[in-house]
Structure formats: C-alpha cells, structure tokens
Amino acid sequence: MRRFLVPFLIVALLLPAHAAPPPANGNWPEAGQRWIKKYRAKPEPLAVPAVIQMLSRSGALKEPDSSGLYVGFLAGVLNANPSKAQAIIEKTLPLPFEDQWLVIRAVAYSQIPDWRNHMSVLAARLPDRRVMAERYLSGELPTLNQIALEPYKPGTVEKVQSFFNGDMFFKDKEKEKEDRKRQITFASNAELIDTLWGIYFATGREGPIAQIVTLLPWSKERDSVDKLTIGSMARFTLASNAARDADLLRVLKALQERQPKKVKPILAEVIEAAELADTARLGKDALAALDELKRKGPGSTRDLLTWGSVGQAAMSAGCLGLAVASVGTAGIPCVVGGALSTGALRYIGSSGGAE
C-alpha cells in the first residue's frame, strides 16, 4: 500500500455557528480541518476557495496520499453547487504546481454534469498538469464512481482463454485502459475512505456513508492485510463519528435495514458502539485481527517476510479518520508530513483514544 492519510491534532476550541473561513493567522491546517467538519451545518460554498488556499499555504495539500479529505470535500462542494462550480474553481486558483492536482481530481470526482467542460478548461489553464487532466478526460484515470472495490482477478477459465486468444501477449488499447483503471481500487487506496468522509462533510448526504458501509465486511478479512486494515478503519471511523454526531447515527440506522446479510451484523456492532460510546473495543478488535493475520497468515500461502513492509504502512491507515472523529483532545501519535513509524491501529489498540 502507498503512504496514507495526513494525521492532525484535534483541539478543544469550538467553531462559531456560521461557516465563515477561519482567520488566516489561525492554527493551520487544523483550523481548516475543523471548519470542514462543521461546514455542512451552514454551507458557504464561496468561502471554500479561501480555505483551500490557506490549506495550500500551510503545506497540507502536497501529498496526494494524505489529502483524501480535501479532495472529497472540494468534490462534494462542487457536486452540491453545480451552478457555482466555475466560480468556486476560479476562486480556488491559482495554486502552486504541487497543489494543482487537487482541483483536477476534485473536478473529476465531483460527478457534476459538465465536469468534462471544467476539466478541459483546467487542462488549458494548468499546462503543467495537462497530462493528468487529459487522462481523466480520456478515461485512463477513473472518476470516483468508476473505482472498483478491489482489483479484477480473472478465473482459471479466463486465464486459459486469454492465453489461447493471444491477450497475454497482445493487448488492445481499450483493454490496457481498463487495466490501468483497475489499479486504483478501494482495496489498495486507503485515502479513498477519507475522500468519502470529505464528501459527507461537504454535503451531509447518505451516499458516501453508504459507500463506507460497503467496506465493513473487510473488517472480518483473514487473507489480506490491506482489506483488513481498510475494513477496520471503515468500522472504527463510522462508530467514532456516529458517537459524536446524532445525524450520522440516524443515517446508519436508516441504512441498516437495507444491507445484505454480510454487512448487517457488522453495522449493528458499529451502531451499538456509537450508542454506548464504546469505540475503544472496535479498535482493540482491529489490532487483534491484524496480529492474528501477522502470526498465522492466510492459510499456508502468506509470505510473512513481507509483513514488516506491508504492516507498518497498513497500521498507519486511518489516522485522518480517527482525527475527524474527534477522538478526545490528545494528539494521535502520527506526525504531519507522513512519518509512519507509529500508526492509528497501534494507538486505538493500546488506548482506544483518550477520552
């Protein structure tokens, strides 16, 4: 897995009732993150560009793998305000080269009807990022609704057919394009959980929460570290946020009856943990499951020698999710800038978060 998710400190200061941008001399990026979390209470879409600009100046947008929250938030704001999309994009620019990717990805993920027109304008306006914009336009990079849960794995019959029809040696361009799309999946990109949280904070809609709920069965995964980590983070962040957000708890309860059998009991655990403010137990369960997978592996096939490199990155997933859940007022033991030596699962496993 790639490096994941910018962590940050949650402070005890409460936001004012209105959604005006935080002051430029505030404690950035934390001030912007707290503003984002409260935004849906009173949306101010034309105030969003100023917040993105300040996040850029604070250095918070430089790492794509740690900026899922910001991508999702801007995409959600655009989706909720399609008639103001051009004004929002214009006010968000200019940005330095290292941060321009965020606007391009947010437009691609926004799902507004004319996102392609906006993307074409960005391709012309941001020539140094033209390749990225054009790959979204051509379909070589997937939009959010095109991202699969996990990589496609052909069965034995398909592999045999592929061999005899020459696909193993000669792939057409369309197939190569689809193969590139499949490389970006929820199973291998933990920052997509934070992208969904960003959309929820921008819109308050049920959709992104329903997508996170879809990941819950992976919290019981016993063959893949990546899936187990992402499923555990989905489970923990849903419970932690719902424990502090009555509206979100109501959304989860409404979703419960529509879930398939493999999801419903896990979602029931999430709801109960939120109602009882007992999220520490979920964190400890996640750590125990990862430890078990570390010791035993998936049957006899796991190469335990890869655990050190995979596990450390995996345990760092979800720091942002923990932070936006407002787990106490103590800092989560991950540092801004991407250091991964201490991770969220180690933290929630040892203490469950300071209350």
Side-chain angles (χ1 to χ4, degrees):
M1 293 175 78
R2 302 182 298 169
R3 289 186 299 138
F4 305 126
L5 311 177
V6 65
F8 59 93
L9 300 177
I10 294 295
V11 296
L13 297 176
L14 296 177
L15 286 177
H18 57 82
N25 61 354
N27 185 25
W28 291 82
E30 290 84 359
Q33 293 157 351
R34 289 184 287 117
W35 187 85
I36 286 172
K37 185 181 177 185
K38 297 291 187 180
Y39 172 87
R40 67 192 185 282
K42 188 176 180 181
E44 295 285 349
L46 295 182
V48 170
V51 174
I52 299 296
Q53 288 276 349
M54 289 305 302
L55 287 167
S56 173
R57 292 174 196 170
S58 73
L61 309 181
K62 288 183 173 60
E63 298 293 339
D65 293 343
S66 61
S67 303
L69 173 70
Y70 311 129
V71 173
F73 180 70
L74 182 54
V77 170
L78 293 173
N79 181 273
N81 302 276
S83 65
K84 299 177 181 177
Q86 188 59 43
I88 294 169
I89 294 168
E90 288 295 324
K91 287 177 175 291
T92 301
L93 298 172
L95 288 173
F97 167 75
E98 63 267 26
D99 297 341
Q100 292 170 0
W101 69 271
L102 182 134
V103 180
I104 293 173
R105 186 165 296 171
V107 168
Y109 285 6
S110 69
Q111 299 183 42
I112 55 178
D114 57 345
W115 74 269
R116 288 181 174 276
N117 293 333
H118 294 298
M119 190 67 73
S120 296
V121 172
L122 287 174
R125 181 164 180 182
L126 306 175
D128 293 328
R129 292 292 184 183
R130 186 181 188 93
V131 170
M132 182 181 182
E134 288 180 343
R135 289 195 177 177
Y136 278 117
L137 287 169
S138 69
E140 291 182 46
L141 284 174
T143 56
L144 187 60
N145 62 333
Q146 294 174 326
I147 295 176
L149 280 178
E150 55 187 309
Y152 170 74
K153 296 179 181 179
T156 303
V157 174
E158 289 176 276
K159 289 179 181 177
V160 172
Q161 291 175 339
S162 176
F163 180 85
F164 284 108
N165 66 21
D167 282 354
M168 290 183 68
F169 308 104
F170 306 104
K171 291 184 177 181
D172 61 39
K173 291 183 179 180
E174 287 302 314
K175 188 170 180 60
E176 286 181 346
K177 189 184 298 183
E178 288 301 312
D179 288 344
R180 280 194 290 269
K181 277 186 184 180
R182 293 188 189 111
Q183 292 174 3
I184 302 175
T185 67
F186 279 88
S188 58
N189 294 269
E191 71 270 16
L192 290 172
I193 293 179
D194 298 300
T195 300
L196 294 175
W197 277 116
I199 294 171
Y200 173 72
F201 291 142
T203 65
R205 293 173 183 166
E206 179 184 283
I209 301 304
Q211 288 182 272
I212 297 173
V213 166
T214 301
L215 304 175
L216 288 177
W218 287 353
S219 66
K220 307 297 183 181
E221 172 68 33
R222 292 299 177 264
D223 289 332
S224 166
V225 174
D226 289 357
K227 286 185 182 179
L228 176 56
T229 300
I230 291 170
S232 297
M233 289 303 97
R235 184 170 172 246
F236 187 83
T237 57
L238 284 170
S240 297
N241 277 302
R244 296 160 175 81
D245 185 335
D247 290 337
L248 176 57
L249 184 57
R250 284 190 284 270
V251 168
L252 294 180
K253 289 180 177 180
L255 286 170
Q256 188 176 18
E257 295 305 315
R258 308 201 297 268
Q259 301 308 307
K261 290 182 179 179
K262 64 180 181 179
V263 176
K264 189 174 292 187
I266 308 174
L267 183 53
E269 292 176 1
V270 168
I271 292 171
E272 181 181 44
E275 289 180 323
L276 300 180
D278 185 24
T279 56
R281 176 178 55 82
L282 300 188
K284 292 174 182 177
D285 288 349
L287 185 65
L290 278 168
D291 283 344
E292 182 179 6
L293 184 55
K294 174 183 177 180
R295 291 195 315 272
K296 298 181 179 179
S300 60
T301 61
R302 179 163 178 77
D303 179 5
L304 291 178
L305 294 177
T306 65
W307 173 260
S309 59
V310 175
Q312 182 171 320
M315 284 191 294
S316 299
C319 284
L320 177 58
L322 287 171
V324 297
S326 298
V327 181
T329 57
I332 294 170
C334 304
V335 301
V336 172
L340 304 179
S341 59
T342 53
L345 290 187
R346 187 178 299 128
Y347 170 71
I348 60 180
S350 62
S351 66
E355 293 296 337

